[in-house]
Amino acid sequence: MSQQADNAYYVPHGTHWPIVGSLGMITMLASAGLWLNGSNTAQWVFYLGAAVIVFMLFGWFGDVIRESESGMYNRQVDSSFRLGMAWFIFSEIMFFACFFGALFYARALVVPWLGGEGAGASTNEFLWQGYLPLWPTNGPANIGGEFQTIPAFGLPFVNTLILLTSGVTLTMAHHALKAAQRGPLVAWLAATVILGAIFLYFQVEEYHHAYTELGLTLGSGIYGSTFFMLTGFHGMHVTLGAIMLAVIMFRCMKGHFKPDQHFGFEAVAWYWHFVDVVWLGLFIFVYVL
Amino acid sequence: MSSIADTGITHVHDDHDHDHKPRGFLNRWLFTTNHKDIGTLYLVFSLLMFFIGGSMALVIRAELFVPGLQLVHPEFFNQMTTMHALIMVFGAVMPAWVGFANWMIPLMIGAPDMALPRMNNWSFWILPFAFTMLLSTLFMDGGGPAAGWTLYPPLSLQTGNSFAFVVFAVHMMGISSIMGSINVIATIINMRAPGMTLLRMPLFVWTWLITAYLLIAVMPVLAGAVTMLLTDHFFGTSFFNAAGGGDPVMFQHIFWFFGHPEVYIMILPAFGVISEILPTFSRKPLFGYAAMVYATASIAFLSFIVWAHHMFTVGMPLEGELFFMYATMLIAVPTGVKVFNWVSTMWKGSMTFETPMLFAIGFVVLFTIGGLSGLMLAISAADFQYHDTYFVVAHFHYVLVPGSVFALMAGTYYWLPKWTGMMYSERWGKLHFWLSTIFVNVLFFPQHYLGLAGMPRRIPDYSPQFADFNKISSIGGFAFGLTQLIFVGVIVHAVWVSKKKARARVWEGAIGLEWTVPSPAPYHTFEKAPDIDESMVPHADEISH
């Protein structure tokens, strides 16, 4: 503990980044609201707000990186970051749990009830007579019209292998970092980013296929809603994760991180494994089952 | 122990170097990373929201003063009930507790600041923008949200131009809460001074730790729920549309999976504050400290498996009704432990009745009334009678107003001298307590009778047989609202006028690290971790044997 007194917990004095972030956030969201209400000029303000957020992230993380590289963070600060990242990821897990919950509830309860099971007998009889409760479904009113689903063991399976492989390459990068081997570290990180990009490319390909050929859209009843919201939010997280990995890669090229102290790297690795695991859940519950 | 009280300062600060507050208004308040300043910002903001939300409640009570439609359009009445709830829940009570967490947790565990000070600033500075956006919806085409704070579809999907703004405001509040709770967890787990073991922490710290876990678990679920509303409204999804294979009832399940833990998010820190105050003014250690910790954790766990008791009448399978009824009743056990321990703490204590203690005792009595009416509502079969009546309104206002809000007031009076360095006016504080206590009962007790007699909630007009109780309730409402101006007066007096300096240990019976620093607490405290001895932690002797 006396060691701690020598190297006190770093408490920054004043920061303007949060208020910049708040201004960007309100600009983005208020103009998003106007945009949704039909104002076309608002979309440009939306992009402006998004740009302010990006500027804030650059500045804020830039400050943190500088402080970290100049050795202002002791072990205790490191622990705070670890706790912060871990519980942030937990909040993300709960966000996905919400949409998985909607999928399970709709599939296991709502659709059978609409088909007349249990207490749904009169619902089916008087409102949706003749509806057969099969999954996939766009509901008794056939919302969004006929559609076909994407077979699991095509592109989605390939994407599963890609993401799992990217988890391995990332772990290789981590080993290289711990062994102080810069070359392999950057190479493995680059491989991870590229695998992430290929995954995203295939997702776009799959969406295009769904919209243009399969008739499967966001508006295809409950199947389309759960399919696109789950895979869409996952895709956004992969995009974010890939950007974060790229930042880490550039930092590694600049010589950041030490074999025994590199939480920035680990935080992004945690995040990447989290999106990986979410994908496994998606592959099983959205595509296979 | 008394030597600490007399000398006041056990931790001498290098004041020349460190006690300089940032110069300039913007530097001090907008860019601050100081947990005390951010705590103050949270508290002032929540007080402002308390009055805005309260004014809306007075619009409701004015309309309900007599039967018939007289003051406001029914559509506006619905906007008032909706906005009153959103503002009180997300703008008043929750930020007020985060303000207490900011001020007190580092002081109570001997930490130099919150663990992530920059993020702490952002958690707060999202809120003014979020609530500006929410309040602005009242002036949009079609008015503000009017479907109730629960935002049930399909009604909420009929909101006018304000719909997207309401959803985004909720997103912003969620982001703020999640960052705030991550900070609380990191602070409590990582920043405790050596010797401040988990089972020595003050109960307020414990209850906030558990509250933070609840927040992180459920705020993202609310974000998901309102996102589904948004896509159903604008992007053609069918989450809550039976024609597309979705179900409006599914929204209720998702919402209340958030909503029930949310109830405990608002009350658990209150339990903590009450557990600090009662021992101080009873001059006895808290009875059953460890049991209080485990009871809090049990309540938090149970809060995740009781949500559907908010929707007994919606048409659930019988098994669901039974499960949620019994699970809900289980909560009475740990809550009963708490009430029993509070009463036992006071039992044979050398009690004095300063304002914080009065509010704390008022809390124990009146919160318990709300708890018991909750048990009545938990009985599924009986709930078919009570559901969506004023009985429900009376129930949750008893746990929230003389519950959470009384605890907030108790905590404010308790720590105000520590924050400002000055004693508040005990005479006005006591007047504030007695008027609040009388009028909160005049306001809410008649609503039990109204509900049992069948008066529905969220309706601007009512049958003439409900007239008398409504009139009494409205009188109580206005009197309670006006009484709160005393609270503002007491705070203003303590901050700017009062000449009576507070000692470091403000209250004779108070034990804990926050009383070892001077009053007002210096801008920076515990930059070096304090050496904790047994006399500084209230529960040390209990744990040691």
Side-chain angles (χ1 to χ4, degrees):
Chain A
M1 280 304 124
S2 60
Q3 200 182 359
Q4 213 154 64
D6 301 329
N7 187 9
Y9 194 90
Y10 175 68
V11 178
H13 290 285
T15 170
H16 60 279
W17 294 119
I19 194 69
V20 172
S22 291
L23 289 169
M25 189 185 281
I26 191 76
T27 308
M28 200 168 86
L29 292 179
S31 55
L34 292 171
W35 190 5
L36 287 172
N37 286 344
S39 158
N40 281 323
T41 44
Q43 67 168 297
W44 301 106
V45 187
F46 174 85
Y47 297 134
L48 175 74
V52 172
I53 298 256
V54 172
F55 171 68
M56 176 276 289
L57 290 171
F58 261 93
W60 191 329
F61 282 114
D63 280 357
V64 173
I65 289 166
R66 268 186 295 280
E67 286 164 4
S68 173
E69 288 300 312
S70 59
M72 290 156 89
Y73 296 159
N74 61 13
R75 287 279 164 197
Q76 201 183 5
V77 176
D78 192 72
S79 292
S80 290
F81 286 150
R82 282 168 195 277
L83 284 160
M85 190 66 194
W87 288 102
F88 167 65
I89 289 175
F90 177 70
S91 78
E92 293 265 51
I93 290 170
M94 290 308 292
F95 182 76
F96 276 101
C98 179
F99 288 90
F100 273 109
L103 172 67
F104 299 154
Y105 186 85
R107 255 190 98 162
L109 297 172
V110 177
V111 171
W113 284 337
L114 289 171
E117 194 184 276
S122 49
T123 306
N124 181 256
E125 177 72 18
F126 296 112
L127 290 176
W128 311 113
Q129 207 172 26
Y131 172 61
L132 283 177
L134 300 171
W135 190 265
T137 181
N138 53 357
N142 204 21
I143 298 272
E146 292 303 320
F147 69 91
Q148 288 172 287
T149 58
I150 290 160
F153 288 93
L155 216 43
F157 182 66
V158 175
N159 259 349
T160 306
L161 295 179
I162 289 172
L163 269 197
L164 288 177
T165 311
S166 78
V168 175
T169 54
L170 184 58
T171 304
M172 297 304 289
H174 196 187
H175 283 303
L177 175 55
K178 284 203 276 198
Q181 297 168 322
R182 283 283 147 175
L185 165 63
V186 175
W188 285 117
L189 270 177
T192 314
V193 175
I194 290 166
L195 286 170
I198 295 174
F199 172 90
L200 286 169
Y201 174 76
F202 283 157
Q203 280 296 86
V204 172
E205 191 66 28
E206 182 186 279
Y207 276 19
H208 183 71
H209 179 56
Y211 263 77
T212 55
E213 287 157 55
L214 300 178
L216 175 61
T217 71
L218 187 59
S220 299
I222 190 65
Y223 184 84
S225 307
T226 49
F227 175 82
F228 280 104
M229 292 295 274
L230 275 165
T231 55
F233 273 119
H234 177 262
M236 284 159 61
H237 282 75
V238 174
T239 310
L240 186 65
I243 293 170
M244 292 179 353
L245 278 172
V247 171
I248 294 296
M249 185 180 75
F250 291 127
R251 288 187 63 192
C252 289
M253 288 159 76
K254 284 187 74 175
H256 289 191
F257 303 124
K258 298 189 194 84
D260 61 338
Q261 201 175 6
H262 47 262
F263 178 64
F265 179 99
E266 285 173 291
V268 174
W270 290 357
Y271 194 81
W272 193 254
H273 291 311
F274 147 69
V275 295
D276 216 355
V277 171
V278 170
W279 174 262
L280 287 180
L282 281 176
F283 183 66
I284 292 167
F285 292 111
V286 176
Y287 291 97
V288 176
L289 295 179
Chain B
M1 283 211 288
S2 62
S3 66
I4 300 169
D6 295 337
T7 53
I9 306 168
T10 54
H11 181 70
V12 182
H13 284 267
D14 194 358
D15 281 340
H16 306 290
D17 264 337
H18 297 295
D19 215 29
H20 284 300
K21 298 177 175 70
R23 284 176 192 283
F25 187 80
L26 290 186
N27 278 333
R28 174 80 192 273
W29 299 109
L30 203 59
F31 303 148
T32 182
T33 49
N34 181 285
H35 72 101
K36 301 184 184 79
D37 280 352
I38 294 171
T40 303
L41 285 169
Y42 266 112
L43 291 171
V44 171
F45 175 80
S46 64
L47 190 62
L48 177 69
M49 287 296 137
F50 182 56
F51 277 93
I52 293 175
S55 313
M56 292 172 176
L58 293 186
V59 173
I60 296 167
R61 281 323 316 172
E63 175 60 48
L64 295 175
F65 188 61
V66 288
L69 296 173
Q70 41 275 320
L71 292 174
V72 295
H73 195 274
E75 177 72 7
F76 186 71
F77 181 91
N78 292 343
Q79 293 172 34
M80 286 294 100
T81 56
T82 305
M83 292 289 265
H84 162 72
L86 286 171
I87 288 175
M88 286 306 202
V89 169
F90 294 105
V93 175
M94 285 168 68
W97 284 129
V98 185
F100 272 87
N102 258 294
W103 250 103
M104 300 318 300
I105 288 174
L107 282 180
M108 288 175 136
I109 62 174
D113 204 301
M114 295 294 279
L116 304 159
R118 288 194 184 102
M119 196 172 77
N120 200 16
N121 175 303
W122 205 20
S123 314
F124 172 75
W125 275 108
I126 286 173
L127 287 179
F129 295 96
F131 282 89
T132 306
M133 186 140 97
L134 184 64
L135 284 166
S136 73
T137 63
L138 286 172
F139 306 100
M140 292 177 185
D141 266 1
W149 81 288
T150 51
L151 302 171
Y152 280 4
L155 188 57
S156 66
L157 296 174
Q158 296 166 21
T159 308
N161 273 358
S162 62
F163 185 70
F165 298 95
V166 176
V167 168
F168 292 146
V170 171
H171 280 150
M172 291 173 80
M173 296 164 200
I175 293 168
S176 160
S177 291
I178 289 167
M179 290 197 295
S181 43
I182 286 174
N183 223 335
V184 166
I185 291 176
T187 306
I188 298 174
I189 299 298
N190 192 36
M191 305 286 283
R192 282 172 288 125
M196 180 58 76
T197 54
L198 283 175
L199 277 174
R200 277 180 172 180
M201 296 196 308
L203 213 68
F204 177 68
V205 180
W206 258 114
T207 53
W208 236 116
L209 179 64
I210 291 165
T211 301
Y213 287 127
L214 289 181
L215 273 166
I216 293 192
V218 300
M219 290 311 284
V221 175
L222 175 67
V226 296
T227 304
M228 291 182 212
L229 284 179
L230 188 81
T231 57
D232 267 18
H233 190 288
F234 289 105
F235 300 107
T237 57
S238 299
F239 286 110
F240 310 127
N241 175 12
D247 187 352
V249 175
M250 183 166 80
F251 178 85
Q252 301 187 20
H253 281 292
I254 301 173
F255 181 87
W256 286 114
F257 181 83
F258 146 80
H260 200 78
E262 169 67 24
V263 173
Y264 295 128
I265 287 163
M266 291 189 282
I267 200 67
L268 290 184
F271 290 172
V273 166
I274 299 306
S275 305
E276 301 298 325
I277 293 172
L278 290 177
T280 294
F281 297 100
S282 304
R283 290 160 183 80
K284 274 177 63 191
L286 184 68
F287 183 88
Y289 166 79
M292 289 298 238
V293 172
Y294 299 135
T296 311
S298 309
I299 291 171
F301 168 74
L302 288 171
S303 76
F304 284 108
I305 56 166
V306 298
W307 75 86
H309 67 218
H310 295 270
M311 36 194 291
F312 276 145
T313 61
V314 82
M316 270 190 299
L318 183 63
E319 303 89 314
E321 302 272 335
L322 289 173
F323 172 80
F324 287 108
M325 172 169 82
Y326 289 127
T328 303
M329 288 178 166
L330 268 183
I331 296 180
V333 177
T335 314
V337 167
K338 288 196 159 285
V339 175
F340 179 86
N341 285 3
W342 287 325
V343 174
S344 305
T345 302
M346 291 186 277
W347 180 255
K348 291 188 174 176
S350 310
M351 292 164 73
T352 51
F353 300 94
E354 289 85 345
T355 310
M357 183 62 162
L358 289 175
F359 271 103
I361 294 171
F363 172 96
V364 173
V365 174
L366 298 175
F367 171 80
T368 304
I369 292 177
L372 292 173
S373 61
L375 266 182
M376 292 172 69
L377 288 162
I379 303 165
S380 172
D383 183 68
F384 275 66
Q385 166 75 11
Y386 310 142
H387 188 86
D388 258 347
T389 69
Y390 258 84
F391 189 78
V392 178
V393 177
H395 156 69
F396 69 71
H397 279 97
Y398 259 90
V399 289
L400 281 174
V401 184
S404 299
V405 174
F406 266 34
L408 284 164
M409 307 216 164
T412 305
Y413 284 108
Y414 187 55
W415 285 306
L416 195 60
K418 178 56 65 190
W419 300 337
T420 65
M422 295 294 165
M423 291 306 288
Y424 61 87
S425 161
E426 199 63 67
R427 174 200 302 235
W428 284 95
K430 282 181 175 153
L431 184 70
H432 174 221
F433 166 75
W434 283 111
L435 292 177
S436 292
T437 301
I438 291 165
F439 289 123
V440 85
N441 285 292
V442 175
L443 165 57
F444 293 120
F445 209 83
Q447 295 180 1
H448 289 114
Y449 301 119
L450 286 171
L452 292 178
M455 179 173 161
R457 56 191 289 213
R458 293 171 171 159
I459 307 280
D461 190 8
Y462 51 84
S463 174
Q465 82 255 25
F466 303 129
D468 291 346
F469 280 132
N470 267 298
K471 189 166 279 180
I472 296 169
S473 180
S474 288
I475 292 169
F478 275 86
F480 181 79
L482 288 175
T483 300
Q484 302 321 309
L485 296 175
I486 300 175
F487 184 52
V488 179
V490 172
I491 293 172
V492 168
H493 172 265
V495 175
W496 283 295
V497 184
S498 174
K499 298 265 187 291
K500 200 176 161 204
K501 284 200 159 49
R503 294 182 311 162
R505 184 195 295 274
V506 176
W507 312 106
E508 179 195 31
I511 300 172
L513 284 182
E514 78 265 39
W515 309 110
T516 65
V517 301
S519 301
Y523 199 61
H524 296 288
T525 36
F526 300 127
E527 283 167 299
K528 265 179 67 181
D531 296 321
I532 294 177
D533 69 59
E534 302 275 300
S535 69
M536 293 179 201
V537 281
H539 317 295
D541 35 355
E542 186 182 348
I543 304 305
S544 58
H545 54 66

